[in-house]
Amino acid sequence: MCVSYHKEKMIFILLLLLFITSCVSGTFVVNVTQASYQAEENQNITLEWTFSSRRDTSLRSISTICQLFTESRPHVLFHLHQGVESPESQDPQFAGRVQWDKDVLTEGRLTLHVSRLRTSDSGFYVCDILVTPDGTDSRRCSLNVTAAEELKPQRPESPQAETGVWVTVGVLAAVLVLCVVCIWKVCIPRFKRRTYIAAAAIQMESSSEKQTIRTNMCPSESEHEVRLSNI
């Protein structure tokens, strides 16, 4: 409770100091480099504010508090008091996710890098910047973080669908076996029979040709008798 009270008191004092200084000086101006930002969940983004500064502006002369305003309540994004960061003032929502560029702050640029964005980071970001003795001013920008598109999980097959697949496989297997049996019982015997008939025909043709050759080579008995009488 004491830490929370101390945190709220420090923020209140800083805001009060910013308000009082803004009434005294009107030459100090803060701007945003971009009025609105669009990002996706889990991405990183850089928010930037610029302000008028002198060449001799020191880091200790700069104080700032940046907050996210949503419908529920404000959230402290970044708190810098006289050049020193105050992480105890930061909202737990942004713990470990905000970094700032120290080197460019004295040049008039407040750059905040927010990593691993969440949809709850959407809203208006307001930075109140105080530079002593120049003055104070504030500007706001908006950020809209959309949910990342997730791959839709594949629907598991129902037991009925799996049973239907196995039934289809069984029917196809039965048809295949039936076709093999038909080929073995019908087609193969016919093929063997045709082969046997063709072989027999070839053998008979061959025997007929051999008989014809023998007939032409052997002389008849009458021709043999005529030859004997002539001797």
Side-chain angles (χ1 to χ4, degrees):
M1 294 291 294
C2 294
V3 175
S4 177
Y5 174 76
H6 179 71
K7 171 183 173 181
E8 293 178 357
K9 184 179 179 181
M10 182 180 296
I11 295 175
F12 175 77
I13 294 175
L14 178 60
L15 291 176
L16 181 61
L17 183 61
L18 291 172
F19 174 76
I20 294 175
T21 310
S22 63
C23 296
V24 176
S25 176
T27 59
F28 184 78
V29 178
V30 174
N31 290 307
V32 290
T33 56
Q34 190 170 331
S36 61
Y37 297 84
Q38 184 75 30
E40 194 174 85
E41 190 178 13
N42 296 322
Q43 289 182 343
N44 304 330
I45 199 170
T46 299
L47 308 175
E48 187 176 71
W49 286 260
T50 60
F51 55 92
S52 53
S53 65
R54 294 172 286 104
R55 291 184 178 181
D56 58 347
T57 300
S58 65
L59 189 62
R60 291 184 58 84
S61 65
I62 302 175
S63 298
T64 180
I65 182 168
C66 299
Q67 300 180 83
L68 164 64
F69 288 87
T70 61
E71 295 180 356
S72 57
R73 63 180 180 87
H75 307 267
V76 176
L77 170 73
F78 179 71
H79 181 201
L80 190 73
H81 179 64
Q82 295 182 352
V84 180
E85 185 179 1
S86 301
E88 65 276 3
S89 303
Q90 190 178 56
D91 194 279
Q93 175 180 339
F94 296 102
R97 298 196 297 125
V98 179
Q99 294 181 348
W100 61 292
D101 293 334
K102 184 177 181 179
D103 297 336
V104 299
L105 186 60
T106 55
E107 299 175 1
R109 290 170 55 196
L110 173 60
T111 305
L112 301 179
H113 307 282
V114 186
S115 61
R116 304 186 304 276
L117 288 175
R118 308 170 184 172
T119 54
S120 58
D121 295 336
S122 299
F124 292 99
Y125 288 80
V126 179
C127 269
D128 292 276
I129 300 176
L130 166 66
V131 178
T132 305
D134 298 341
T136 182
D137 194 13
S138 65
R139 285 293 183 274
R140 77 172 189 177
C141 62
S142 63
L143 171 63
N144 183 31
V145 182
T146 57
E149 295 184 1
E150 298 181 356
L151 295 177
K152 295 182 179 179
Q154 295 181 355
R155 296 179 58 185
E157 295 184 358
S158 60
Q160 294 81 0
E162 187 175 356
T163 302
V165 171
W166 283 111
V167 170
T168 303
V169 172
V171 171
L172 293 176
V175 171
L176 181 61
V177 171
L178 182 61
C179 292
V180 172
V181 171
C182 291
I183 293 172
W184 184 264
K185 294 292 185 181
V186 179
C187 297
I188 291 181
R190 290 183 179 179
F191 177 76
K192 289 182 177 180
R193 191 179 303 111
R194 291 179 180 176
T195 304
Y196 176 78
I197 294 173
I202 293 173
Q203 186 176 3
M204 290 178 62
E205 184 178 356
S206 177
S207 300
S208 176
E209 290 178 354
K210 290 180 179 179
Q211 185 66 29
T212 303
I213 293 172
R214 289 177 181 176
T215 304
N216 294 331
M217 292 180 62
C218 299
S220 62
E221 294 181 358
S222 57
E223 291 178 352
H224 183 66
E225 291 177 354
V226 172
R227 290 179 182 176
L228 290 175
S229 59
N230 292 332
I231 293 176

